[in-house]
Amino acid sequence: MDLASPKGVMAPSRRRALRAGARTLGLFVLAGVLPEAQAQAQLDAWAAAFDSRDFASAWRALDGEGAAADPRLRLDGPDVAENGALVPFTVSSTLPGVSQVALLVEHNPIPLTAVFALAPGTEPFVATRLKMAESSTVHALVRAQDGLFLARREVRVIQGGCVA
């Protein structure tokens, strides 16, 4: 499966992800939890990150440069994955006010693999399966009330799950 799309054309799965994110942020705006301008800025950042074809660009689009490692953030997954098509990961945190969890796979054709917007008061726990093209570092970038936080995990992939 070819995950890359022609320049300027957004792949259907990325479109669905952005639509779902827009609906979630729209609910936050309607509930008065998030100002409309902030929600639009968040959607623009997600779109730029999903469009990035290299890790550094996706990381910058999500403001990852200022992220700090914190023991209250935990990224769990396998050390070795036999098949990169479905690699299970969980992200959990005891950080206060977690509003966003993003997962990036450093050597994937599209590094940003998932973004989760969490409503206030929601337990900061996410479980998902990621596609991994090859052995790589997986990054969990979490936005909380005190800033951006980071957890990393090296995963060795025996058989890749993406084709560039």
Side-chain angles (χ1 to χ4, degrees):
M1 174 178 12
D2 185 4
L3 292 179
S5 61
K7 193 163 190 99
V9 177
M10 195 177 296
S13 61
R14 287 186 292 151
R15 243 181 278 144
R16 279 194 301 273
L18 287 173
R19 260 197 310 262
R23 283 193 297 269
T24 302
L25 291 174
L27 290 172
F28 291 171
V29 170
L30 287 174
V33 175
L34 187 66
E36 187 174 349
Q38 188 178 350
Q40 186 59 52
Q42 190 64 65
L43 280 176
D44 292 344
W46 290 353
F50 273 118
D51 285 341
S52 297
R53 294 293 181 259
D54 64 279
F55 178 79
S57 297
W59 194 249
R60 275 191 308 273
L62 294 172
D63 294 327
E65 290 93 6
D70 193 296
R72 298 174 292 173
L73 175 59
R74 186 175 168 116
L75 172 62
D76 289 316
D79 293 328
V80 177
E82 266 189 54
N83 185 348
L86 292 170
V87 184
F89 287 94
T90 61
V91 179
S92 58
S93 174
T94 57
L95 292 162
V98 173
S99 60
Q100 174 185 310
V101 175
L103 292 166
L104 297 96
V105 180
E106 209 166 297
H107 295 297
N108 269 6
I110 301 172
L112 180 59
T113 57
V115 177
F116 301 92
L118 304 177
T122 303
E123 180 182 349
F125 177 84
V126 173
T128 191
R129 294 178 185 270
L130 304 178
K131 271 189 177 183
M132 294 184 66
E134 61 187 79
S135 298
S136 184
T137 303
V138 177
H139 303 260
L141 182 63
V142 171
R143 185 175 305 277
Q145 73 183 26
D146 295 334
L148 286 171
F149 299 92
L150 167 70
R152 292 184 179 115
R153 182 171 196 84
E154 289 286 331
V155 179
R156 189 171 142 240
V157 175
I158 305 300
Q159 177 184 346
C162 299
V163 177

